[in-house]
Amino acid sequence: MSTPVPIVLAGARGHGRWHLDNIRRLQDKGVVRLAGICELTPLTGDEIPEGLGAPLQSADFGALLDRTDARIAVICTPIPTHTDLALTAADRGVHILLEKPPAPSYDEFRRMADGVAKAAVVCQIGFQSLGSHAVPAIRELIEEGAIGQITGVGGGGAWARDEAYYRRAPWAGRRRLNGVDVVDGVLTNPLAHAVATGLALLGTTRAEDVTGIETELLRANDIESDDTSCVRVSTAKGPVTVAATLCAEDPGEPYVLVHGDRGRITFWYKQDRILLQRAGHGPQEIEYDRTDLLGNLVDHLTIGAPLLVEPDATGAFMKVVEAIRLADDPVALPAGAWQLLPGENRRVVPGIDGLVDAAADTLALYSELGAPWAPPKQGST
């Protein structure tokens, strides 16, 4: 049996807790070993899941990598820190699992991706949905012509986040902080998977695949960034339109919808579940397994398994991040366009759930669907 791969986790609180649990799962299988945790404030014993032992802890990421002889670094830290931490690992020959979004700007993304490539280390970007076995299955259905000629891809995400969500960290809900780009919007962070997955299903994942981007960025919450937005990405293979909100009336599962002239495929990417609807057939629902991205990275390093999400496979997504970064600041919805749910302490935009679904269904933007609060179209970038 091979020796477990030593891992350092940078950012172990918040979403980092998910990574701790996942590392424990892989450690129980003898695949990895948690060698170190990098946090500004060390985790207490109660914060470390049972079975992970007593990993070294330090606020100095580089020193921790050196002391632990880590082979992989999992980076789950604030968005503006991603590039520098990834390059710190790369400089030491340490391979990387980097949380999404990989960077707050396209320039920072290129600095990271080019630096990683120069160092000849492997970097996996943490779009977990792209580990779903549904993704290659849908691509195969498309190539077989199961739903005819593809006319575009839609995506919809109607989620809810309370006001405490924006107070969980200084960078939450910010476009920039202390002069540094953050770009923590609904399409770039919590529902970024809808954008990245839609682009992946269409086969337009690289930066050069993008020919234009239209954005409509709005906010109901008292934040700097956007919480209710839509984007339409133009590509040579058709449009990808994604509508998303964190102010849903009735929160539901986000999805991506592939449109063909003889059918459609709906993919609920968090559930690894698809619904195939096509002319001349009854509806068919299929559930798939998923390959964990950290496990895939380990397999890539140890047995040569193909890496699932290399940096350049997120280039088109990063073009969307860049368009949102450069767009005008999000428009505050008028007071009459949202309501506060006191029991849940969150803001709701009446009618937004239907608009999200309509955008995914028609590939139209909010303004084209007649939303009374939608700003005039900003045009394509």
Side-chain angles (χ1 to χ4, degrees):
M1 187 173 177
S2 60
T3 305
V5 175
I7 287 180
V8 162
L9 171 62
R13 294 188 173 95
H15 183 59
R17 174 64 197 223
W18 182 91
H19 284 287
L20 274 177
D21 290 337
N22 193 44
I23 290 168
R24 179 183 61 181
R25 180 184 66 83
L26 292 172
Q27 183 163 304
D28 289 345
K29 293 182 175 182
V31 174
V32 303
R33 174 178 61 83
L34 182 62
I37 294 173
C38 182
E39 269 287 358
L40 296 179
T41 304
L43 268 64
T44 64
D46 291 342
E47 291 180 292
I48 300 175
E50 189 176 345
L52 285 176
L56 286 173
Q57 296 198 59
S58 173
D60 187 328
F61 184 54
L64 188 61
L65 294 176
D66 293 338
R67 289 173 61 196
T68 57
D69 291 324
R71 193 170 179 204
I72 293 175
V74 177
I75 299 173
C76 184
T77 55
I79 302 165
T81 67
H82 284 184
T83 292
D84 285 342
L85 290 180
L87 294 179
T88 296
D91 287 346
R92 288 165 168 78
V94 178
H95 306 289
I96 304 153
L97 173 64
L98 180 61
E99 257 300 344
K100 58 81 190 162
S105 70
Y106 193 77
D107 282 350
E108 283 289 277
F109 168 70
R110 280 268 48 102
R111 185 164 73 90
M112 179 277 296
D114 294 344
V116 164
K118 183 178 180 181
V121 300
V122 177
C123 180
Q124 177 104 283
I125 307 299
F127 281 108
Q128 292 291 338
S129 60
L130 300 184
S132 176
H133 299 180
V135 172
I138 293 170
R139 286 175 173 159
E140 189 172 334
L141 286 167
I142 291 170
E143 289 168 8
E144 291 172 353
I147 58 172
Q149 185 70 33
I150 303 305
T151 57
V153 175
W159 276 6
R161 292 291 183 269
D162 62 16
E163 297 199 351
Y165 173 79
Y166 297 106
R167 296 194 295 271
R168 74 191 192 283
W171 55 269
R174 299 295 296 266
R175 281 172 68 77
R176 56 194 69 83
L177 181 64
N178 300 325
V180 177
D181 289 318
V182 176
V183 200
D184 179 39
V186 62
L187 291 167
T188 56
N189 195 6
L191 283 156
H193 282 91
V195 179
T197 307
L199 291 163
L201 294 183
L202 196 58
T204 52
T205 59
R206 296 182 174 268
E208 56 268 27
D209 294 326
V210 175
T211 58
I213 300 173
E214 300 162 88
T215 60
E216 292 183 357
L217 311 177
L218 305 110
R219 58 178 179 84
N221 284 278
D222 185 17
I223 56 175
E224 185 179 70
S225 195
D226 56 300
D227 57 38
T228 300
S229 299
C230 56
V231 63
R232 182 162 55 208
V233 185
S234 299
T235 79
K237 295 185 178 181
V240 177
T241 300
V242 178
T245 185
L246 299 179
C247 305
E249 294 177 283
D250 184 18
E253 284 292 330
Y255 62 92
V256 176
L257 178 57
V258 184
H259 295 272
D261 62 5
R262 290 191 288 110
R264 58 169 52 187
I265 303 168
T266 308
F267 175 29
W268 291 274
Y269 57 81
K270 286 178 66 68
Q271 300 177 327
D272 303 305
R273 179 168 61 94
I274 76 167
L275 175 64
L276 172 61
Q277 298 166 290
R278 49 184 170 165
H281 297 76
Q284 185 178 5
E285 192 166 320
I286 311 167
E287 291 189 14
Y288 292 88
D289 291 328
R290 176 182 292 210
T291 297
D292 173 69
L293 295 185
L294 179 56
N296 171 247
L297 176 57
V298 172
D299 286 346
H300 176 76
L301 296 173
T302 56
I303 61 174
L307 192 71
L308 288 173
V309 196
E310 64 177 358
D312 281 344
T314 65
F317 169 78
M318 282 306 308
K319 284 291 187 182
V320 174
V321 173
E322 183 72 355
I324 290 171
R325 182 182 79 87
L326 295 175
D328 293 341
D329 284 347
V331 175
L333 291 174
W338 59 269
Q339 300 168 358
L340 180 68
L341 293 187
E344 300 179 36
N345 196 30
R346 70 179 183 90
R347 299 187 185 191
V348 167
V349 177
I352 190 61
D353 301 24
L355 281 166
V356 164
D357 288 339
D361 190 51
T362 64
L363 307 179
L365 302 175
Y366 292 146
S367 61
E368 296 166 343
L369 293 167
W373 35 255
K377 287 174 62 177
Q378 293 185 12
S380 181
T381 60

